[in-house]
Amino acid sequence: GKVEQMLQTLEAGIKATPGQNSGLMRTYAVYFLKEGQKFQKANNIAKAAENYQKIANMSDKGFKAQGLVSLGTLYFNNGAAILQEATPFANKENDKYEAGKTKAMAEFKKAQGFLVEAMSADPKNVEAPEVLKEVKDAMAKLTTPQQ
């Protein structure tokens, strides 16, 4: 029940021992990862992003990359959900479908930016290129004319 105190202690410890205390950093990152996942499951994209951003702001390149991958995955999944919601309108109400496609593409572009940044932060991260490929494939499907 003392989450704020715990976070303050972790932040103070990380600040006092830069680059030396991976245990504190791991605890800090895991806390915000779990919080982000909780909000993501509740479909609260803004709160999930806020929590993942805390990890992405860390100085450790591995944790930073994981936070960025989490953000990229969050926006990719949100874009896919928007597109899925819009798809039933494809043949009936083209305006609604096009609006959904536009919103989904914006989310995919956000995802792409975070994933590229993750690859730059930690070139050894294997998740970022995999998710980036999925994002690019989804974007390509939206820009390729349907037959």
Side-chain angles (χ1 to χ4, degrees):
K2 297 182 179 182
V3 173
E4 279 304 313
Q5 286 178 310
M6 175 195 74
L7 292 174
Q8 288 173 355
T9 301
L10 289 170
E11 288 168 358
I14 291 168
K15 193 174 188 178
T17 57
Q20 297 177 16
N21 203 322
S22 62
L24 293 177
M25 286 189 281
R26 182 175 325 285
T27 302
Y28 184 84
V30 167
Y31 171 80
F32 284 109
L33 182 65
K34 287 181 179 179
E35 286 295 295
Q37 290 169 341
K38 178 178 77 176
F39 285 112
Q40 189 171 352
K41 285 178 185 173
N43 204 30
N44 187 336
I45 305 305
K47 285 297 246 181
E50 184 181 308
N51 281 277
Y52 294 147
Q53 191 65 55
K54 296 272 190 182
I55 306 166
N57 290 339
M58 294 178 73
S59 60
D60 179 271
K61 67 180 183 178
F63 291 123
K64 179 181 195 71
Q66 187 55 53
L68 292 165
V69 169
S70 295
L71 284 162
T73 303
L74 172 72
Y75 288 114
F76 172 63
N77 289 341
N78 194 47
I82 290 168
L83 192 58
Q84 185 176 13
E85 214 173 271
T87 299
F89 298 111
N91 295 323
K92 302 172 199 157
E93 300 176 56
N94 200 43
D95 288 350
K96 284 185 180 180
Y97 177 65
E98 289 301 320
K101 267 180 52 174
T102 300
K103 286 170 81 176
M105 182 61 87
E107 294 295 285
F108 292 156
K109 286 180 180 177
K110 279 187 212 175
Q112 182 178 28
F114 284 119
L115 294 164
V116 168
E117 192 177 343
M119 290 167 51
S120 175
D122 184 6
K124 293 178 183 175
N125 183 293
V126 294
E127 277 183 280
E130 292 172 5
V131 179
L132 183 59
K133 182 186 179 320
E134 291 182 49
V135 170
K136 286 183 176 182
D137 289 348
M139 291 170 77
K141 288 177 185 172
L142 289 181
T143 57
T144 304
Q146 300 298 314
Q147 298 180 5

